[in-house]
């Protein structure tokens, strides 16, 4: 079976809902699935269609979100990795199935990958070979690896590409939790336990890690540094935000000392250390920033620009901390984040299919009226499931605040027709909430697109206010448009007030 990658568009995370669909007697509320019930995505009718291509090239591999299955490597396992997103061609002289920067639309989620039966010294004990590009994601995966001395196991191996998103990952054991080289990635909510090295970075242009937990490793982040040209590119920029590091001798280690000039940028923000003697060090033992049991509030190494000056100042030390309004922080003082919604606790009876309710998704039928009717009937009290397909709309489709919609293998909502062809008066294909509306709005596994010449448009507009807003709401309201062509991004559409 074929699946494709995952987009998250998350609107306002509020509890108030101004209106419910006509079939609703009360808001959706918590999931009602019994413990023994199967995951709703397993049992829902799969009647999606590929409107334009009977053999799509993008894939999703989705395990049971309630009871993630285990992929168990045998003692004789000899493959490159349990899951290989870009295999090397045997006898191909290094050629692979896909050009790494064009390896789009891949997603894996809800698995346990266990390589502990593979002899500890064998590098075949690799969970995932993930050489991918945009529109890719890894989510909700546990990697089980050997903790024996001299282990060669690794959770993720990635030598090239241009990603991507990863989140909600746990690595237990191994030589490396993650061994990575890729242009850019966003990574959130990862935990590494008892590995030799948590994250090894060979090269990048810029990676952002947020919500990192490292426990009982030898090195948290091991960065190859010093290369600043195309030919010598090493780790270009590493941002580590909201980290908790425990019983780990070195939090961040670079391969070369900076020696007073840019050799790869590092930013640490809100890093809580417990029994971590060296916060930042260099291979060979030099200490750049002492650790201990302390919090690194805001520290950087690299070029800093001030005001409008185009001349940088190399800095290695404390840097100005970004302003973080309290409404953006959780109870632990970390930047608020939300896991990709999978509705694992919800019953099939709490989900409705758009194809069962009149929408076609065949890439040619105008589904505008059918989708509007579905939202009018079910928004706020049902999870609305977009069966795989391409749903044509010929006028702006407003998704009411209080709605949860989820696609199947990159369901597409595509604008078509004259309404979206006036560059002097661009119109949104999808509008997330009416102006001044309030409520939870979650959109996942959906692509916003256009058909043919319908180009001078905004793909999505987000309109809402905070429910506590009274006076000054017009000033406080954020009316934000976003063109979602780079569909790999995890969008947290927030509101300032």
């Amino acid at each position: 079976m074929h699946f494709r990658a995952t987009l998250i568009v998350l609107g306002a995370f509020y509890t108030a809902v101004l209106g419910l669909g006509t079939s609703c007697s009360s808001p959706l509320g918590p999931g009602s699935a019994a413990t023994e019930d199967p995951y709703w995505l397993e049992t829902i009718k799969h009647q999606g269609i590929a409107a334009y291509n009977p053999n799509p090239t993008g894939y999703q591999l989705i395990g049971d979100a309630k009871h993630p299955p285990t992929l168990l490597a045998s003692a004789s396992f000899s493959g490159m990795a349990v899951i290989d997103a870009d295999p090397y061609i045997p006898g191909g002289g290094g050629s692979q199935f896909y050009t790494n920067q064009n390896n789009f639309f891949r997603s894996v989620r809800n698995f346990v990958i266990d390589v502990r039966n593979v002899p500890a010294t064998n590098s075949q004990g690799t969970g995932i070979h993930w050489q991918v590009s945009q529109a890719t994601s890894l989510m909700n995966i546990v990697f089980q690896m050997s903790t024996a001395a001299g282990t060669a196991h690794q959770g993720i191996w990635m030598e090239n590409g241009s990603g991507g998103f990863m989140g909600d990952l746990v690595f237990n054991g191994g030589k490396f939790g993650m061994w990575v080289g890729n242009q850019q990635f966003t990574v959130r909510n990862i935990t590494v336990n008892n590995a030799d090295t948590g994250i090894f970075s060979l090269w990048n242009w810029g990676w952002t890690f947020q919500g990192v937990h490292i426990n009982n490793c030898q090195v948290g982040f091991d960065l190859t540094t010093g290369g600043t040209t195309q030919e010598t590119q090493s780790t270009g920029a590493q941002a580590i935000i909201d980290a908790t590091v425990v019983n780990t001798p070195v939090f961040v280690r670079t391969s070369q000392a900076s020696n007073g000039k840019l050799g790869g940028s590092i930013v640490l923000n809100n890093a809580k250390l417990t029994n971590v003697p060296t916060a930042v060090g260099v291979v060979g033992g030099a200490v750049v920033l002492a650790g201990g049991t302390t919090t690194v509030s805001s520290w950087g190494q690299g070029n800093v620009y001030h005001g409008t000056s185009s001349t940088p100042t190399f800095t290695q030390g404390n840097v100005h901390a970004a302003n973080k309004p309290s409404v953006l922080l959780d109870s632990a003082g970390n930047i608020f984040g939300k896991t990709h919604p999978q509705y694992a606790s919800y019953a099939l009876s709490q989900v409705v299919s758009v194809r069962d309710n009149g929408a076609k998704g065949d890439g040619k039928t105008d589904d505008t009226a059918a989708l509007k009717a579905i939202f009018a009937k079910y928004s706020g009290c049902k999870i609305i499931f977009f069966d795989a397909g391409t749903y044509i709309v010929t006028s702006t489709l407003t998704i009411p605040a209080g709605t949860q919609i989820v696609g199947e293998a990159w369901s597409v909502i595509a604008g078509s027709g004259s309404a979206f062809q006036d560059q002097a008066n661009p119109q949104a294909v999808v509008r997330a909430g009416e102006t001044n509306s309030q409520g939870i709005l979650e959109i996942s596994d959906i692509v916003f697109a256009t058909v043919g010449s319908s180009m001078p448009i905004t793909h999505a507009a987000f309109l809402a206010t905070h429910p506590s807003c009274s006076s000054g709401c017009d000033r406080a309201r954020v009316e934000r448009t976003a063109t979602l062509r780079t569909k790999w991004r995890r969008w947290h559409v927030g509101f300032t007030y």
Side-chain angles (χ1 to χ4, degrees):
M1 58 184 176
H2 55 79
F3 295 107
R4 289 186 276 179
T6 300
L7 167 72
I8 299 299
V9 184
L10 297 178
F13 306 106
Y14 308 138
T15 56
V17 179
L18 285 181
L20 294 171
T22 57
S23 70
C24 306
S25 58
S26 61
L28 179 62
S32 63
T35 303
E36 65 274 11
D37 287 347
Y39 179 34
W40 67 268
L41 188 59
E42 176 186 347
T43 54
I44 198 168
K45 181 166 52 177
H46 293 284
Q47 54 187 346
I49 56 176
Y52 307 117
N53 184 358
N55 185 30
T57 58
Y59 298 87
Q60 284 184 351
L61 184 60
I62 303 176
D64 185 340
K66 295 183 69 175
H67 307 288
T70 297
L71 304 178
L72 182 64
S74 70
S76 60
F77 179 75
S78 59
M80 177 169 286
V82 174
I83 296 176
D84 192 344
D86 196 1
Y88 283 87
I89 299 171
S95 297
Q96 295 174 270
F97 280 20
Y98 308 102
T99 301
N100 59 76
Q101 294 93 342
N102 298 332
N103 194 13
F104 305 126
F105 297 105
R106 302 285 187 265
S107 183
V108 179
R109 64 182 186 253
N110 308 332
F111 286 95
V112 176
I113 302 177
D114 192 337
V115 298
R116 289 176 294 184
N117 287 336
V118 177
T121 55
N122 288 8
S123 61
Q124 285 84 359
T126 296
I128 297 179
H129 175 220
W130 197 241
Q131 186 172 243
V132 295
S133 190
Q134 287 88 14
T136 60
S137 58
L138 297 175
M139 295 180 287
N140 193 30
I141 304 171
V142 176
F143 298 83
Q144 301 284 15
M145 298 165 281
S146 171
T147 57
T151 179
H153 291 181
Q154 51 194 355
I156 296 171
W157 181 53
M158 176 194 307
E159 69 276 41
N160 214 322
S162 178
F165 173 79
M166 305 181 202
D168 305 309
L169 307 178
V170 177
F171 304 89
N172 295 318
K175 182 177 183 179
F176 304 107
M178 300 166 58
W179 192 105
V180 292
N182 191 291
Q183 291 175 8
Q184 63 277 315
F185 252 90
T186 300
V187 185
R188 70 168 297 274
N189 194 28
I190 65 167
T191 299
V192 186
N193 301 313
N194 304 305
D196 290 346
T197 298
I199 296 94
F200 177 87
S201 173
L202 178 66
W203 75 276
N204 70 38
W205 292 351
W207 280 50
T208 298
F209 290 80
Q210 190 268 331
V212 179
H213 308 275
I214 297 174
N215 303 303
N216 303 307
C217 298
Q218 294 304 304
V219 178
F221 285 80
D222 209 356
L223 313 179
T224 301
T225 56
T228 57
T229 68
Q230 182 174 343
E231 292 74 21
T232 65
Q233 179 73 56
S234 57
T235 301
Q238 200 89 332
I240 306 169
I241 305 165
D242 297 335
T244 302
V245 188
V246 178
N247 296 334
T248 297
V250 181
F251 175 27
V252 178
R253 185 173 69 177
T254 64
S255 63
Q256 297 183 27
S258 64
N259 293 323
K261 62 181 181 179
L262 181 67
S265 297
I266 302 170
V267 173
L268 308 180
N269 186 273
N270 190 33
K272 300 179 177 68
L273 313 182
T274 302
N275 191 25
V276 179
T278 300
V280 180
V282 182
V283 170
V287 175
V288 176
L289 177 65
T293 297
T294 186
T295 296
V296 179
S297 177
S298 186
W299 187 92
Q301 175 178 288
N303 287 341
V304 175
Y305 293 81
H306 298 274
T308 60
S309 174
S310 61
T311 302
T313 301
F314 178 79
T315 300
Q316 188 180 65
N318 294 331
V319 294
H320 179 74
N323 179 41
K324 301 177 190 175
S326 60
V327 294
L328 301 180
L329 305 180
D330 62 20
S331 59
N334 298 327
I335 296 171
F336 173 80
K338 183 175 172 65
T339 294
H340 176 286
Q342 301 197 70
Y343 310 108
S345 64
Y346 286 79
L348 182 59
S349 61
Q350 295 177 286
V351 183
V352 294
S353 156
V354 296
R355 292 201 72 204
D356 281 348
N357 284 272
K360 300 297 183 182
D362 58 11
K364 54 187 178 181
T365 300
D366 184 354
D367 281 322
T368 310
L371 294 176
K372 288 182 177 180
I374 291 165
F375 290 140
K377 185 175 182 179
Y378 294 112
S379 284
C381 66
K382 297 287 186 180
I383 298 166
I384 298 174
F385 178 67
F386 274 65
D387 313 80
T390 299
Y391 298 84
I392 300 297
V393 296
T394 54
S395 62
T396 297
L397 179 68
T398 298
I399 304 173
T403 304
Q404 291 82 35
I405 72 173
V406 58
E408 177 186 29
W410 283 109
S411 305
V412 179
I413 299 174
S416 179
S418 60
F420 306 116
Q421 294 177 349
D422 184 359
Q423 68 179 11
N425 184 30
Q427 300 297 309
V429 173
V430 174
R431 181 167 58 191
E434 295 281 4
T435 301
N436 293 327
S437 60
Q438 306 169 15
I440 294 172
L441 177 56
E442 295 180 341
I443 307 173
S444 58
D445 297 337
I446 299 286
V447 173
F448 300 146
T450 53
V451 176
S453 59
S454 303
M455 293 306 294
I457 52 86
T458 54
H459 282 67
F462 301 87
L463 309 176
T465 61
H466 189 275
S468 65
C469 184
S470 54
S471 63
C473 285
D474 288 339
R475 176 177 56 81
R477 187 174 67 246
V478 172
E479 299 187 0
R480 184 170 300 173
T481 60
T483 300
L484 305 185
R485 297 185 187 277
T486 51
K487 293 177 281 289
W488 60 271
R489 295 190 183 277
R490 184 183 186 89
W491 288 81
H492 295 272
V493 181
F495 301 88
T496 58
Y497 43 87

